[in-house]
Amino acid sequence: MSRRFLTSLCVWLLAASGARMATVGQQDSHKESQQGHDTSEEECSCWKGFKPGIGIPGWGSLTCWSPRTCGAKCSKQFVDGCHMKAACGISPADGKHHCDCSMCSGMTFKQVEYIEQCKPGTCAENESCYYNGCKYSENGGSTCKLGEGVECECEHPFAVDDGKCITCPNGREYDDEKKAWKCKPE
Protein backbone atom coordinates (compact mmCIF):
# COMPACT_ATOMS: atom_id res chain seq x y z
CA MET A 1 0.00 0.00 0.00
CA SER A 2 1.15 3.51 -0.69
CA ARG A 3 2.19 5.83 2.10
CA ARG A 4 -0.36 8.42 0.95
CA PHE A 5 -3.20 5.86 1.11
CA LEU A 6 -2.23 4.76 4.63
CA THR A 7 -1.98 8.35 5.82
CA SER A 8 -5.40 9.18 4.32
CA LEU A 9 -6.88 6.04 5.87
CA CYS A 10 -5.51 6.90 9.32
CA VAL A 11 -6.76 10.49 9.18
CA TRP A 12 -10.22 9.31 8.05
CA LEU A 13 -10.43 6.61 10.73
CA LEU A 14 -9.38 8.96 13.50
CA ALA A 15 -11.64 11.79 12.35
CA ALA A 16 -14.64 9.47 12.14
CA SER A 17 -14.07 8.21 15.67
CA GLY A 18 -15.14 11.44 17.42
CA ALA A 19 -18.49 10.66 19.09
CA ARG A 20 -17.99 6.92 19.47
CA MET A 21 -14.50 7.43 20.95
CA ALA A 22 -15.99 9.52 23.73
CA THR A 23 -18.72 7.07 24.70
CA VAL A 24 -16.89 3.77 24.34
CA GLY A 25 -13.65 5.10 25.82
CA GLN A 26 -15.37 6.63 28.83
CA GLN A 27 -17.42 3.49 29.49
CA ASP A 28 -14.39 1.22 29.28
CA SER A 29 -12.32 3.54 31.49
CA HIS A 30 -15.19 3.80 33.97
CA LYS A 31 -15.66 0.02 34.07
CA GLU A 32 -11.91 -0.58 34.53
CA SER A 33 -11.69 1.92 37.37
CA GLN A 34 -14.71 0.26 39.02
CA GLN A 35 -13.07 -3.14 38.74
CA GLY A 36 -9.84 -1.90 40.31
CA HIS A 37 -7.62 -2.08 37.23
CA ASP A 38 -4.59 0.19 37.27
CA THR A 39 -4.91 2.69 34.42
CA SER A 40 -1.94 4.82 35.53
CA GLU A 41 0.47 3.18 33.05
CA GLU A 42 0.42 3.95 29.34
CA GLU A 43 -0.94 0.98 27.38
CA CYS A 44 0.41 2.20 24.07
CA SER A 45 2.58 4.86 22.50
CA CYS A 46 2.34 7.16 19.51
CA TRP A 47 6.14 7.41 19.43
CA LYS A 48 6.18 11.15 20.18
CA GLY A 49 4.49 11.93 16.86
CA PHE A 50 6.43 9.53 14.64
CA LYS A 51 3.37 7.35 14.03
CA PRO A 52 0.47 8.14 11.64
CA GLY A 53 -2.11 10.10 13.57
CA ILE A 54 -3.36 13.47 14.76
CA GLY A 55 -1.14 15.54 17.00
CA ILE A 56 0.60 18.77 17.86
CA PRO A 57 3.93 19.49 16.09
CA GLY A 58 6.85 19.34 18.51
CA TRP A 59 4.71 17.77 21.25
CA GLY A 60 3.54 14.49 19.78
CA SER A 61 0.49 12.60 18.67
CA LEU A 62 -2.76 12.91 20.58
CA THR A 63 -4.07 9.81 18.85
CA CYS A 64 -2.63 7.37 16.35
CA TRP A 65 -3.36 4.14 14.49
CA SER A 66 -2.05 1.27 16.60
CA PRO A 67 -3.01 -2.24 15.39
CA ARG A 68 0.20 -3.83 16.66
CA THR A 69 -0.04 -2.55 20.24
CA CYS A 70 -3.83 -2.35 20.72
CA GLY A 71 -5.20 -4.85 18.19
CA ALA A 72 -5.26 -7.80 20.61
CA LYS A 73 -7.04 -5.81 23.33
CA CYS A 74 -9.69 -4.55 20.90
CA SER A 75 -10.17 -7.99 19.34
CA LYS A 76 -10.90 -9.46 22.79
CA GLN A 77 -13.83 -7.02 23.15
CA PHE A 78 -15.55 -7.55 19.77
CA VAL A 79 -17.28 -10.69 18.50
CA ASP A 80 -15.88 -10.25 14.99
CA GLY A 81 -12.49 -9.12 16.25
CA CYS A 82 -10.97 -5.71 15.65
CA HIS A 83 -7.31 -5.60 14.88
CA MET A 84 -6.82 -3.10 12.06
CA LYS A 85 -9.07 -0.35 13.48
CA ALA A 86 -7.37 -0.23 16.88
CA ALA A 87 -5.99 3.14 17.88
CA CYS A 88 -4.02 4.71 20.70
CA GLY A 89 -5.05 8.03 22.20
CA ILE A 90 -4.48 10.34 25.14
CA SER A 91 -7.07 9.99 27.87
CA PRO A 92 -8.45 13.28 29.17
CA ALA A 93 -8.72 11.64 32.61
CA ASP A 94 -5.00 11.04 33.20
CA GLY A 95 -3.17 12.52 30.18
CA LYS A 96 -1.63 9.15 29.27
CA HIS A 97 -2.00 7.05 26.13
CA HIS A 98 -4.48 4.17 26.27
CA CYS A 99 -5.89 1.80 23.65
CA ASP A 100 -8.99 3.11 21.91
CA CYS A 101 -11.36 0.58 20.33
CA SER A 102 -14.06 3.10 19.38
CA MET A 103 -13.51 2.67 15.63
CA CYS A 104 -14.26 -1.05 15.84
CA SER A 105 -17.58 -2.10 14.41
CA GLY A 106 -19.96 -4.90 15.24
CA MET A 107 -21.17 -6.21 18.56
CA THR A 108 -19.07 -6.49 21.67
CA PHE A 109 -19.10 -9.62 23.82
CA LYS A 110 -20.74 -7.52 26.57
CA GLN A 111 -23.53 -6.51 24.18
CA VAL A 112 -24.14 -10.15 23.18
CA GLU A 113 -24.28 -11.11 26.87
CA TYR A 114 -26.75 -8.26 27.47
CA ILE A 115 -29.02 -9.51 24.67
CA GLU A 116 -28.94 -13.03 26.14
CA GLN A 117 -29.82 -11.77 29.65
CA CYS A 118 -32.30 -8.97 28.80
CA LYS A 119 -34.64 -10.73 26.40
CA PRO A 120 -38.05 -9.18 25.66
CA GLY A 121 -40.36 -9.77 28.63
CA THR A 122 -37.54 -9.86 31.20
CA CYS A 123 -38.82 -6.60 32.70
CA ALA A 124 -42.35 -5.31 33.16
CA GLU A 125 -43.93 -3.02 30.58
CA ASN A 126 -42.17 0.38 30.22
CA GLU A 127 -39.20 -0.74 32.37
CA SER A 128 -35.64 -0.69 31.07
CA CYS A 129 -33.45 -3.75 31.47
CA TYR A 130 -29.84 -3.36 32.66
CA TYR A 131 -27.31 -6.17 32.84
CA ASN A 132 -24.17 -5.67 34.92
CA GLY A 133 -24.95 -1.97 35.00
CA CYS A 134 -25.35 -1.47 31.23
CA LYS A 135 -28.27 -1.02 28.86
CA TYR A 136 -27.70 -1.28 25.10
CA SER A 137 -29.80 0.30 22.37
CA GLU A 138 -30.47 -1.27 18.99
CA ASN A 139 -27.95 1.05 17.30
CA GLY A 140 -25.13 -0.22 19.56
CA GLY A 141 -25.03 2.73 21.95
CA SER A 142 -25.01 2.03 25.67
CA THR A 143 -25.69 3.61 29.03
CA CYS A 144 -23.74 2.27 32.00
CA LYS A 145 -23.83 2.81 35.75
CA LEU A 146 -23.10 0.76 38.84
CA GLY A 147 -24.96 -2.53 39.00
CA GLU A 148 -24.72 -6.31 38.86
CA GLY A 149 -26.88 -8.94 37.23
CA VAL A 150 -30.27 -8.19 35.67
CA GLU A 151 -31.96 -5.05 37.00
CA CYS A 152 -35.24 -3.53 35.80
CA GLU A 153 -35.76 0.21 36.20
CA CYS A 154 -38.56 2.64 35.54
CA GLU A 155 -36.93 5.55 33.71
CA HIS A 156 -37.91 8.89 32.25
CA PRO A 157 -40.53 9.71 30.97
CA PHE A 158 -42.27 7.04 33.06
CA ALA A 159 -42.87 6.92 36.82
CA VAL A 160 -43.90 4.29 39.38
CA ASP A 161 -47.53 4.37 40.47
CA ASP A 162 -49.03 1.52 42.53
CA GLY A 163 -45.92 -0.56 41.78
CA LYS A 164 -46.22 -0.19 37.99
CA CYS A 165 -44.11 1.82 35.58
CA ILE A 166 -46.61 4.03 33.74
CA THR A 167 -46.96 7.20 31.70
CA CYS A 168 -48.21 9.98 33.96
CA PRO A 169 -51.08 12.01 32.46
CA ASN A 170 -50.32 15.06 34.64
CA GLY A 171 -46.55 14.79 34.60
CA ARG A 172 -44.31 13.42 37.32
CA GLU A 173 -42.56 14.57 40.49
CA TYR A 174 -39.80 13.26 42.71
CA ASP A 175 -40.79 11.59 45.99
CA ASP A 176 -38.01 12.38 48.49
CA GLU A 177 -39.30 9.76 50.94
CA LYS A 178 -39.26 6.86 48.49
CA LYS A 179 -36.34 8.25 46.47
CA ALA A 180 -38.21 7.63 43.22
CA TRP A 181 -40.29 9.44 40.61
CA LYS A 182 -44.06 9.28 40.99
CA CYS A 183 -47.04 10.60 39.06
CA LYS A 184 -48.39 14.02 40.03
CA PRO A 185 -51.87 13.87 41.56
CA GLU A 186 -54.80 14.96 39.36
Side-chain angles (χ1 to χ4, degrees), residues 60-104:
S61 292
L62 301 175
T63 186
C64 60
W65 183 49
S66 190
R68 176 178 274 173
T69 311
C70 298
K73 178 179 181 173
C74 292
S75 290
K76 287 179 184 175
Q77 295 176 20
F78 287 82
V79 174
D80 297 328
C82 181
H83 189 80
M84 296 307 291
K85 292 182 181 179
C88 176
I90 289 185
S91 167
D94 65 6
K96 297 184 191 254
H97 283 87
H98 297 281
C99 291
D100 173 18
C101 307
S102 63
M103 288 302 300
C104 300

Side-chain angles (χ1 to χ4, degrees), residues 43 163 180:
E43 293 180 297

Side-chain angles (χ1 to χ4, degrees), residues 6 31 68 97 132:
L6 287 175
K31 283 280 194 185
R68 176 178 274 173
H97 283 87
N132 287 341

Side-chain angles (χ1 to χ4, degrees), residues 57-172:
W59 188 69
S61 292
L62 301 175
T63 186
C64 60
W65 183 49
S66 190
R68 176 178 274 173
T69 311
C70 298
K73 178 179 181 173
C74 292
S75 290
K76 287 179 184 175
Q77 295 176 20
F78 287 82
V79 174
D80 297 328
C82 181
H83 189 80
M84 296 307 291
K85 292 182 181 179
C88 176
I90 289 185
S91 167
D94 65 6
K96 297 184 191 254
H97 283 87
H98 297 281
C99 291
D100 173 18
C101 307
S102 63
M103 288 302 300
C104 300
S105 55
M107 293 188 5
T108 64
F109 287 107
K110 290 179 182 179
Q111 188 176 5
V112 170
E113 193 174 15
Y114 169 82
I115 291 169
E116 291 171 357
Q117 298 296 321
C118 285
K119 294 179 179 160
T122 300
C123 295
E125 186 178 359
N126 297 330
E127 290 184 335
S128 297
C129 184
Y130 283 82
Y131 180 68
N132 287 341
C134 291
K135 173 179 80 170
Y136 290 86
S137 62
E138 290 180 17
N139 68 0
S142 62
T143 303
C144 295
K145 57 191 181 97
L146 292 175
E148 286 186 32
V150 174
E151 298 174 292
C152 298
E153 288 195 14
C154 186
E155 298 181 315
H156 182 74
F158 306 106
V160 177
D161 191 32
D162 291 329
K164 293 182 181 177
C165 186
I166 62 167
T167 302
C168 300
N170 299 319
R172 61 189 205 140

